[in-house]
Amino acid sequence: MKIQGLFMDDLYMWSTRAGLSFRQYVFPPYDKDLDVTKFRPVYWLAAWIEQGFLGRHVNLIIPFNICVAAAIAWGIYFFAKTLAKNRGIAFGLSFLFLASRFSYYNIGQFLGLMEAMGLGFLLLTFLYLYRYLARENSRWDIYLAVFFFVLNCFTHERYVVFLPMFLFVLLAKKSRDLAAYGTVVLSFSFVLGVRYFFLRSFMPAGTGGTNLADTFTLKECIKSVGMEILYLLGINTGPEHLCGIPFSQSALGIRFLILAGNFFLLLYLIKYAFTIVSNPKIRNWSHFRILLLFAGFIGGTIVSSSVTVRVEVRWIYAPYMLFLLLLAFIYGVMAEAG
């Protein structure tokens, strides 16, 4: 027996379309008896269109998701090529993204479209903030970044965590554009206001029907952050039903390969650190503010996925994508330094 494409939440998303109008499906009215805790109209709009297009052909869900994932990988290729100034490096990193174990949910389930849309909007938000920092005449990049940020907040609520990064890039650029500051603040207020109107709450919901106010503890959050960092390094540390095969149970050859890869990654980062120290041309604020942008985004994706009751592997796809782009940036810096 083979089941693909629809499972649990997928079945719920598919079944609720029947008997609901477009407005009820995409913009569900507040009902305290239903205890609705999510508001994702951008994704729900995409899901409505996809279901209408696919009809009963659920076998097409996975091929459709693969095409979406390939489009994101294609975008990563072009961005990485700009950062690394090397086609081979860009192709390799985009292939690592597409072939990652984190892709299982994006490709294998109907709700994978939601995660993929979040990745796509995150990539575009980061791209335009990077362009804003890296270029001189880049005023409109901040507005484009805000646009994709708002779309992402209404795709999945955890992406609201990136508001401080907009203020960071404006301050790092020493911008005096009051309209840009106002747009950032108003966009965040708009997201919170719309969320409160539909949910009567500002607090994002936890996973599995939990409430963050009831389940969050600092100790568990720190533990989850460490777990996600290990995941990024290829070391599965979570429960088997979430991570597959734990690192301790993997074949000896696989464990050796992972540790060897991390060893060479460490050497790569040490070489990068020596390059910065020994080359005053790149040891400047313009360079470090890009590093801080990467750190803020990678840290934000990790922390926002660590505040709930468990770490799910699919959430680590976002910091993994940004980490690959960071490697491309580092390669480009070292190539430029000679």
Side-chain angles (χ1 to χ4, degrees), residues 24 68 87 133 167 215:
Q24 291 173 319
V68 173
R87 291 182 179 180
L133 280 181
L167 299 177
T215 62

Side-chain angles (χ1 to χ4, degrees), residues 85-102:
K85 301 175 181 63
N86 185 293
R87 291 182 179 180
I89 295 296
F91 179 82
L93 293 175
S94 59
F95 176 80
L96 287 176
F97 168 82
L98 193 57
S100 168
R101 69 194 190 285
F102 305 131

Side-chain angles (χ1 to χ4, degrees), residues 66-253:
I66 291 174
C67 291
V68 173
I72 297 173
W74 194 249
I76 290 173
Y77 167 78
F78 285 109
F79 192 8
K81 187 173 70 169
T82 300
L83 294 172
K85 301 175 181 63
N86 185 293
R87 291 182 179 180
I89 295 296
F91 179 82
L93 293 175
S94 59
F95 176 80
L96 287 176
F97 168 82
L98 193 57
S100 168
R101 69 194 190 285
F102 305 131
S103 67
Y104 79 100
Y105 191 91
N106 294 45
I107 291 175
Q109 294 190 233
F110 178 62
L111 262 76
L113 178 62
M114 175 186 68
E115 296 292 341
M117 290 173 63
L119 284 177
F121 290 140
L122 175 63
L123 178 65
L124 289 167
T125 302
F126 183 83
L127 167 66
Y128 285 109
L129 287 182
Y130 168 82
R131 283 161 56 100
Y132 181 77
L133 280 181
R135 303 194 310 172
E136 290 298 327
N137 300 317
S138 57
R139 180 187 179 190
W140 290 105
D141 289 330
I142 190 73
Y143 297 107
L144 288 169
V146 168
F147 174 71
F148 290 115
F149 166 73
V150 171
L151 288 181
N152 218 5
C153 289
F154 291 137
T155 298
H156 198 294
E157 54 279 352
R158 71 174 177 265
Y159 291 106
V160 74
V161 73
F162 293 115
L163 171 72
M165 299 312 301
F166 286 86
L167 299 177
F168 164 74
V169 297
L170 288 169
L171 294 173
K173 195 76 176 286
K174 299 180 180 179
S175 173
R176 297 181 179 179
D177 188 350
L178 296 180
Y181 285 98
T183 300
V184 170
V185 174
L186 286 175
S187 65
F188 184 69
S189 302
F190 172 73
V191 169
L192 292 184
V194 170
R195 178 178 175 82
Y196 186 81
F197 177 80
F198 281 94
L199 298 179
R200 301 296 190 271
S201 173
F202 295 117
M203 178 68 70
T207 190
T210 60
N211 191 313
L212 286 183
D214 300 328
T215 62
F216 175 80
T217 66
L218 183 59
K219 179 181 178 181
E220 288 300 314
C221 179
I222 294 173
K223 179 181 176 182
S224 295
V225 168
M227 186 183 299
E228 290 199 43
I229 293 173
L230 289 175
Y231 271 125
L232 285 175
L233 298 175
I235 301 173
N236 289 357
T237 56
E240 292 185 35
H241 71 284
L242 293 177
C243 77
I245 302 176
F247 181 76
S248 60
Q249 298 178 20
S250 301
L252 182 61

